[in-house]
Amino acid sequence: MIPEANSTDLPPANPAHLVATLRLARVEFLVVGGTAAIAFGATRETGDIDIIPRRSRDNCRRLAIELVELGARFRVFGLSDADARSLPWTIDDVALMRQQETVTLTTDAGPLDLLVGLRDRDGVLHDDDALRPGAVEVPAPGGGVMWAAALEAIIESKEVADRPKDHEALPELRAIRDRRE
């Protein structure tokens, strides 16, 4: 996994534009992470959008076209956005289908993380196909709807990730889950 940049020269996040662009291009994806948590009712802000794209050739082709249109480039700790733009990366369906780890990107509409899937407590990685049956429609930033992984899958993935920011988010997510039950 490429470490996340801590640069202040990144474009401001525009999740409404990013999600609308992907939806308009018919890119199939599940939203996870903070953006999904907010759609479920969490109040904790997030600085990026985490998605798990469906890994079909046609879908990856549509995603690659939109990533190029959005000016996607790596987001790398210690590099300015200008320097990151110079890193070589072929954005195409083949590269996206071969993706084995999370790729942290910056786009002209803000930060975007492409995940392969979410890990469960047993270490099993669940991709779009495995998560899709439990996915739910949630409000999209800027209007409309988008598909998000099930709240329980998001909670479990944050427990497994075991990062400080996830520990901070978990009490609110568990409270939202408990109110829904």
Side-chain angles (χ1 to χ4, degrees), residues 94-132:
V94 174
L96 293 172
M97 289 185 70
R98 289 184 179 162
Q99 175 189 341
Q100 296 296 311
E101 296 183 31
T102 297
V103 177
T104 58
L105 302 173
T106 297
T107 72
D108 295 339
L112 172 68
D113 293 352
L114 301 179
L115 284 71
V116 177
L118 296 179
R119 290 215 182 270
D120 67 17
R121 289 178 187 87
D122 296 325
V124 176
L125 185 68
H126 298 272
D127 64 7
D128 176 276
D129 288 334
L131 294 167
R132 182 111 359 215

XYZ file of all heavy atoms in Angstrom, residues 94-132:
299
model
N -6.621 -2.975 -17.568
C -5.728 -4.062 -17.185
C -5.086 -3.771 -15.831
O -5.071 -4.623 -14.934
C -4.654 -4.299 -18.281
C -3.640 -5.331 -17.823
C -5.312 -4.724 -19.588
N -4.576 -2.562 -15.664
C -3.948 -2.186 -14.394
C -4.958 -2.257 -13.257
O -4.642 -2.737 -12.155
C -3.349 -0.787 -14.492
N -6.176 -1.789 -13.482
C -7.192 -1.803 -12.434
C -7.622 -3.227 -12.090
O -7.873 -3.538 -10.921
C -8.393 -0.953 -12.839
C -8.117 0.548 -12.934
C -9.312 1.276 -13.522
C -7.737 1.120 -11.587
N -7.697 -4.085 -13.071
C -8.092 -5.467 -12.796
C -6.989 -6.240 -12.075
O -7.265 -7.175 -11.339
C -8.494 -6.178 -14.087
C -9.820 -5.650 -14.621
S -10.409 -6.527 -16.056
C -10.833 -8.096 -15.332
N -5.736 -5.829 -12.247
C -4.605 -6.486 -11.584
C -4.314 -5.921 -10.194
O -3.473 -6.443 -9.490
C -3.356 -6.352 -12.440
C -3.404 -7.181 -13.685
C -2.119 -7.085 -14.442
N -2.181 -7.913 -15.634
C -1.370 -7.779 -16.656
N -0.422 -6.866 -16.641
N -1.492 -8.574 -17.704
N -4.990 -4.865 -9.831
C -4.755 -4.213 -8.544
C -4.880 -5.220 -7.410
O -5.871 -5.937 -7.307
C -5.753 -3.069 -8.368
C -5.700 -2.379 -7.043
C -6.853 -1.406 -6.872
O -7.491 -0.993 -7.822
N -7.123 -1.041 -5.630
N -3.871 -5.266 -6.544
C -3.863 -6.214 -5.436
C -3.938 -5.530 -4.072
O -4.159 -6.186 -3.072
C -2.590 -7.066 -5.490
C -2.504 -7.933 -6.730
C -3.600 -8.977 -6.781
O -3.821 -9.685 -5.816
N -4.295 -9.067 -7.900
N -3.698 -4.217 -4.025
C -3.702 -3.468 -2.770
C -4.466 -2.171 -2.963
O -4.796 -1.790 -4.082
C -2.267 -3.135 -2.353
C -1.409 -4.342 -2.046
C -0.031 -3.943 -1.567
O 0.095 -2.879 -0.933
O 0.914 -4.699 -1.825
N -4.692 -1.498 -1.849
C -5.321 -0.189 -1.913
C -4.415 0.778 -2.667
O -3.207 0.791 -2.459
C -5.579 0.349 -0.491
O -6.494 -0.527 0.163
C -6.145 1.765 -0.520
N -5.014 1.563 -3.533
C -4.284 2.603 -4.259
C -4.851 3.938 -3.804
O -6.064 4.179 -3.933
C -4.437 2.437 -5.789
C -3.740 3.580 -6.518
C -3.881 1.094 -6.244
N -3.978 4.784 -3.245
C -4.422 6.104 -2.793
C -4.128 7.106 -3.896
O -2.995 7.233 -4.355
C -3.712 6.515 -1.480
O -2.304 6.517 -1.678
C -4.068 5.568 -0.348
N -5.174 7.791 -4.311
C -5.084 8.722 -5.430
C -5.526 10.112 -5.007
O -6.284 10.276 -4.054
C -5.989 8.261 -6.583
C -5.740 6.878 -7.145
C -6.833 6.520 -8.153
C -4.363 6.798 -7.784
N -5.082 11.073 -5.778
C -5.647 12.417 -5.752
C -6.235 12.631 -7.128
O -5.647 12.217 -8.130
C -4.558 13.477 -5.477
O -4.013 13.248 -4.199
C -5.138 14.885 -5.536
N -7.404 13.234 -7.178
C -8.005 13.610 -8.453
C -8.263 15.109 -8.400
O -8.127 15.731 -7.348
C -9.344 12.874 -8.696
O -10.329 13.424 -7.821
C -9.212 11.368 -8.491
N -8.652 15.666 -9.515
C -8.991 17.087 -9.530
C -10.238 17.373 -8.694
O -10.520 18.524 -8.383
C -9.174 17.573 -10.972
C -7.864 17.492 -11.753
O -6.781 17.456 -11.125
O -7.922 17.442 -13.003
N -10.965 16.310 -8.308
C -12.144 16.449 -7.439
C -11.828 15.977 -6.018
O -12.731 15.742 -5.232
C -13.312 15.662 -8.010
N -10.547 15.818 -5.703
C -10.144 15.447 -4.353
C -9.648 14.018 -4.244
O -9.558 13.287 -5.228
N -9.318 13.616 -3.014
C -8.734 12.297 -2.770
C -9.724 11.150 -2.991
O -10.895 11.249 -2.653
C -8.319 12.355 -1.295
C -8.310 13.801 -0.937
C -9.320 14.454 -1.816
N -9.202 10.067 -3.556
C -9.984 8.874 -3.839
C -9.107 7.661 -3.570
O -7.985 7.585 -4.072
C -10.433 8.859 -5.309
C -11.100 7.590 -5.818
C -12.455 7.377 -5.168
C -11.236 7.635 -7.337
N -9.599 6.733 -2.764
C -8.882 5.492 -2.515
C -9.621 4.352 -3.204
O -10.828 4.190 -3.027
C -8.791 5.187 -1.013
C -7.918 6.190 -0.274
O -7.258 7.022 -0.919
O -7.900 6.126 0.968
N -8.876 3.566 -3.990
C -9.433 2.391 -4.655
C -9.035 1.179 -3.838
O -7.856 0.851 -3.742
C -8.877 2.255 -6.076
C -9.123 3.399 -7.038
C -8.470 3.085 -8.389
C -10.605 3.644 -7.211
N -10.014 0.524 -3.246
C -9.768 -0.658 -2.437
C -10.097 -1.908 -3.235
O -10.993 -1.889 -4.091
C -10.623 -0.635 -1.167
C -10.193 0.298 -0.037
C -10.428 1.745 -0.381
C -10.937 -0.063 1.228
N -9.403 -2.981 -2.936
C -9.706 -4.266 -3.552
C -10.898 -4.894 -2.845
O -11.715 -5.561 -3.455
C -8.477 -5.200 -3.487
C -8.802 -6.564 -4.060
C -7.305 -4.572 -4.225
N -10.996 -4.649 -1.534
C -12.090 -5.205 -0.754
C -11.943 -4.839 0.707
O -11.107 -4.015 1.069
N -12.784 -5.441 1.542
C -12.736 -5.250 2.988
C -12.375 -6.582 3.638
O -12.909 -7.624 3.259
C -14.098 -4.794 3.529
C -14.624 -3.440 3.062
C -15.994 -3.168 3.695
C -13.646 -2.326 3.394
N -11.502 -6.522 4.628
C -11.114 -7.738 5.357
C -12.053 -7.974 6.528
O -12.467 -7.045 7.211
C -9.699 -7.612 5.894
C -8.687 -7.639 4.792
C -7.406 -8.323 5.178
N -6.489 -8.248 4.060
C -6.398 -9.156 3.100
N -7.143 -10.222 3.140
N -5.561 -9.001 2.099
N -12.351 -9.257 6.753
C -13.154 -9.611 7.924
C -12.220 -10.077 9.046
O -10.994 -10.085 8.893
C -14.223 -10.644 7.582
C -13.663 -12.012 7.193
O -12.476 -12.305 7.472
O -14.428 -12.805 6.616
N -12.801 -10.464 10.163
C -12.009 -10.858 11.343
C -11.117 -12.069 11.086
O -10.125 -12.263 11.770
C -12.943 -11.144 12.519
C -13.572 -9.902 13.083
C -14.550 -10.217 14.224
N -15.259 -9.028 14.625
C -16.387 -8.593 14.057
N -16.934 -9.267 13.081
N -16.965 -7.489 14.485
N -11.476 -12.871 10.103
C -10.676 -14.049 9.763
C -9.600 -13.745 8.731
O -8.888 -14.651 8.288
C -11.578 -15.173 9.236
C -12.551 -15.663 10.298
O -12.170 -15.690 11.494
O -13.696 -16.002 9.939
N -9.502 -12.472 8.326
C -8.493 -12.089 7.344
C -8.916 -12.284 5.909
O -8.136 -12.044 4.990
N -10.159 -12.709 5.691
C -10.658 -12.932 4.330
C -10.992 -11.580 3.699
O -11.649 -10.740 4.314
C -11.902 -13.845 4.340
C -12.479 -14.002 2.945
C -11.547 -15.200 4.948
N -10.524 -11.395 2.481
C -10.795 -10.166 1.739
C -12.071 -10.347 0.932
O -12.178 -11.270 0.115
C -9.628 -9.842 0.813
C -9.712 -8.534 0.051
C -9.593 -7.354 1.016
C -8.607 -8.463 -0.998
N -13.051 -9.471 1.165
C -14.331 -9.524 0.464
C -14.370 -8.403 -0.573
O -14.328 -7.225 -0.218
C -15.495 -9.376 1.453
C -15.533 -10.482 2.461
N -16.191 -11.662 2.224
C -14.968 -10.590 3.689
C -16.050 -12.453 3.263
N -15.304 -11.837 4.167
N -14.453 -8.780 -1.846
C -14.480 -7.798 -2.920
C -15.909 -7.331 -3.198
O -16.840 -7.695 -2.477
C -13.810 -8.352 -4.178
C -14.542 -9.552 -4.785
O -15.656 -9.903 -4.319
O -14.007 -10.134 -5.740
N -16.060 -6.555 -4.245
C -17.378 -6.020 -4.607
C -18.413 -7.131 -4.760
O -19.524 -7.021 -4.249
C -17.261 -5.219 -5.908
C -18.597 -4.701 -6.404
O -19.317 -5.458 -7.094
O -18.922 -3.547 -6.092
N -18.049 -8.192 -5.447
C -19.005 -9.282 -5.678
C -19.457 -9.921 -4.371
O -20.631 -10.274 -4.219
C -18.405 -10.347 -6.596
C -18.297 -9.871 -8.036
O -19.080 -8.985 -8.443
O -17.427 -10.386 -8.761
N -18.535 -10.066 -3.422
C -18.890 -10.694 -2.141
C -19.701 -9.752 -1.257
O -20.569 -10.190 -0.505
C -17.626 -11.131 -1.405
N -19.435 -8.439 -1.351
C -20.125 -7.463 -0.506
C -21.453 -6.986 -1.096
O -22.332 -6.520 -0.370
C -19.221 -6.245 -0.269
C -17.958 -6.493 0.549
C -17.017 -5.295 0.442
C -18.310 -6.776 1.994
N -21.607 -7.118 -2.385
C -22.781 -6.562 -3.072
C -24.112 -7.102 -2.547
O -25.061 -6.332 -2.394
C -22.657 -6.798 -4.581
C -23.790 -6.222 -5.345
C -23.611 -5.084 -6.230
N -22.416 -4.397 -6.458
C -22.391 -3.086 -6.678
N -23.501 -2.386 -6.666
N -21.261 -2.475 -6.916
